[in-house]
Amino acid sequence: MSGREQNAGLSDFRLTVRRWLHENLPPDWVDAEFAPNWPPSDDDPDAVEISRRWHRRLHEGGWLAPSWPEEWGGAGLDLGRRMILDDELARARAPLPIGFSGIETLGPALIRFGTNEQKSRFLAPILRAEELWCQGYSEPDAGSDLASLRTRAQRVGDDYVVTGRKVWTSYGGRADWCFLLARTGGGGRHGISFLLVDMATPGVQWNKIRQLHGETHFGELVLDEARVPVSMRVGEEGDGWRIATHSLSHERMMSGNGPGPVRARLTALQGMARATGAGPVERQEIARLECRLRGLEGLAAGALRLAETGDPRLGAWASMVKLAASEIRVSIAEVAARIVGPALAASGPSYRATGHVRGSGPELWAWELLDSRAGPIYAGTNQIQRNIIGEIGLGLPR
Ligand SMILES: Cc1cc2nc3c(=O)[nH]c(=O)nc-3n(C[C@H](O)[C@H](O)[C@H](O)COP(=O)(O)OP(=O)(O)OC[C@H]3O[C@@H](n4cnc5c(N)ncnc54)[C@H](O)[C@@H]3O)c2cc1C
């Protein structure tokens, strides 16, 4: 096929996606202001319900799980089409499907490392949003240094007896299952296994934690002699580190950690600057942010290409995307806060703005100023991403 024919194929694809979104995304489901691809908070049950219905609608339309092979119910899209789909979803300000963690983090790991029984059991309920997943990696004394985790899984007959404490478990309050790491052997990376744990198991408890802006997005997961069947282990015993690393590079590549939501925020900032005016320093900064974001968009395209071919450099590239996206998002919020001025401090944070110019509500930018601070921490802190880029990407000494 000639380049021109391929391009024609891609433009047709874009039109198909756009038409489908026009026909299937009801105006009152469009995400609040500039928060596309942002998970709804449990404090907002209407948004949770919309996100669940949107997940199912995407699945019925064949657009959910773009990177999963068709054999397992995914869209099986190639790189160009995935990027177009992400771009159109962000432009339409579509909500994030409720099961994003199962789709984007667990799914790729199960498809690569799971048994056929595990894939048959778990992938379809993820696609139908019948089972939601949370991620139990971090512990009070094991965040960046994840390999020092202490949650223990002791083999007793056909079960593991799991005891330990996980923290910052996002959306654990509505999750049915948790994929977690537990120690089945000695210290370090080689003694860790990857387990699938039913949140309804006796001995599993989730306690919510309230965040800076008042929402309760994450919590603490306490496991007290919870029995998990050995058949719920993914991969071999002791192989959990390799599986978690694979899932983390997909998490960093998740649309929510990529350029889409950053573009939506910069568009809102530019709209506000046009409508309400901005000083010369802010205008310079907005131009600089546009350049940084265009660089990020190119970087993300390169990373997706590596993901398609299974290139081992993906880890370092995914780190660069996550690092740049989270830093640009913080800078956007800081410039916006300067333009909004003292009204920002006077309003409480909320991601539903009341300003009549889209994206100009002070409460929205107050929320963004606080929420954007999470980006450089979750999915591995930005200092850790710099270590990965330096050591793995550039071959610098540890
Ligand atoms: C919004 C949000 C959602 C989250 N959701 C989840 C979730 O769903 N599941 C889950 O398992 N975890 C989740 N996390 C936890 C997250 O992965 C950890 O917070 C993160 O890995 C950092 O670990 P820590 O908080 O223990 O900080 P620490 O590891 O104690 O780090 C403290 C500081 O030291 C720096 N530092 C540590 N080691 C190094 C080093 N070697 N070189 C340079 N600097 C270093 C860090 O960059 C950081 O600035 C979430 C966190 C946030 C903020």
Side-chain angles (χ1 to χ4, degrees):
M1 193 187 276
S2 75
R4 186 173 292 181
E5 278 167 333
Q6 279 190 34
N7 283 337
L10 290 182
S11 341
D12 282 350
F13 179 77
R14 188 180 284 282
L15 283 179
T16 308
V17 175
R18 202 170 281 179
R19 200 172 308 122
W20 186 85
L21 282 170
H22 180 70
E23 285 163 7
N24 287 278
L25 177 60
D28 57 342
W29 288 13
V30 165
D31 218 327
E33 299 298 332
F34 58 42
N37 282 333
W38 223 239
S41 158
D42 277 334
D43 304 326
D44 187 348
D46 291 346
V48 170
E49 185 50 29
I50 286 172
S51 172
R52 192 182 296 273
R53 290 168 72 186
W54 179 238
H55 179 123
R56 292 189 174 139
R57 197 165 282 193
L58 278 173
H59 179 44
E60 284 154 16
W63 301 112
L64 193 67
S67 64
W68 293 17
E70 285 175 85
E71 178 195 357
W72 291 109
L77 297 183
D78 61 20
L79 169 70
R81 285 169 178 77
R82 270 178 67 186
M83 290 179 60
I84 290 170
L85 176 61
D86 271 354
D87 191 43
E88 288 299 320
L89 287 167
R91 275 167 197 265
R93 293 189 297 120
L96 189 76
I98 190 83
F100 68 95
S101 177
I103 295 287
E104 305 216 43
T105 313
L106 176 66
L110 264 190
I111 289 169
R112 170 110 181 250
F113 300 101
T115 60
N116 277 338
E117 289 74 34
Q118 288 169 339
K119 291 182 217 183
S120 305
R121 163 65 187 83
F122 290 113
L123 294 176
I126 290 176
L127 291 170
R128 293 193 296 258
E130 288 165 0
E131 288 177 346
L132 302 183
W133 287 81
C134 61
Q135 179 195 80
Y137 290 176
S138 307
E139 298 185 4
D141 295 315
S144 303
D145 186 15
L146 191 56
S148 65
L149 63 87
R150 289 202 221 141
T151 294
R152 189 124 216 116
Q154 182 93 36
R155 177 96 185 237
V156 178
D158 289 338
D159 290 338
Y160 287 109
V161 178
V162 186
T163 298
R165 188 175 290 259
K166 299 285 174 182
V167 77
W168 318 129
T169 314
S170 296
Y171 308 107
R174 61 181 182 235
D176 306 289
W177 286 81
C178 180
F179 52 100
L180 59 77
L181 296 176
R183 192 160 291 291
T184 44
R189 297 178 177 186
H190 300 295
I192 293 173
S193 296
F194 191 101
L195 302 179
L196 309 176
V197 178
D198 185 339
M199 294 288 275
T201 309
V204 175
Q205 193 189 328
W206 189 79
N207 307 316
K208 63 184 171 186
I209 297 175
R210 198 161 287 283
Q211 289 163 268
L212 198 57
H213 50 32
E215 289 177 15
T216 54
H217 141 163
F218 50 38
E220 170 197 55
L221 187 67
V222 182
L223 299 125
D224 182 12
E225 301 197 349
R227 290 188 90 95
V228 178
V230 171
S231 59
M232 292 294 122
R233 188 190 69 223
V234 181
E236 296 301 315
E237 192 169 285
D239 209 15
W241 186 261
R242 193 163 64 104
I243 301 168
T245 312
H246 179 82
S247 79
L248 280 171
S249 61
H250 277 268
E251 185 184 8
R252 278 177 217 131
M253 296 283 298
M254 251 171 60
S255 45
N257 290 329
V262 187
R263 170 58 68 199
R265 283 155 174 77
L266 187 55
T267 303
L269 170 61
Q270 290 163 347
M272 177 171 71
R274 263 182 231 112
T276 62
V281 174
E282 283 74 32
R283 292 202 293 267
Q284 288 282 323
E285 285 182 5
I286 290 171
R288 199 172 298 131
L289 285 167
E290 180 67 36
C291 298
R292 286 170 66 190
L293 180 51
R294 284 181 190 236
L296 167 64
E297 286 164 346
L299 204 58
L304 274 180
R305 208 168 295 124
L306 298 181
E308 288 246 303
T309 55
D311 193 304
R313 290 171 299 169
L314 172 65
W317 277 66
S319 292
M320 290 192 264
V321 171
K322 190 264 174 182
L323 178 71
S326 56
E327 288 186 346
I328 300 172
R329 197 183 149 203
V330 169
S331 304
I332 292 171
E334 286 172 351
V335 174
R338 285 213 299 280
I339 296 175
V340 174
L344 186 109
S347 81
S350 164
Y351 72 96
R352 299 214 180 274
T354 51
H356 72 281
V357 176
R358 187 167 290 290
S360 69
E363 62 283 77
L364 181 69
W365 287 113
W367 181 87
E368 179 65 2
L369 193 62
L370 299 177
D371 198 76
S372 63
R373 298 280 149 180
I377 303 173
Y378 65 74
T381 70
N382 282 7
Q383 286 83 1
I384 297 301
Q385 306 310 326
R386 287 194 190 90
N387 288 349
I388 295 172
I389 295 163
E391 290 165 26
I392 300 172
L394 305 175
L396 301 177
R398 278 177 70 84

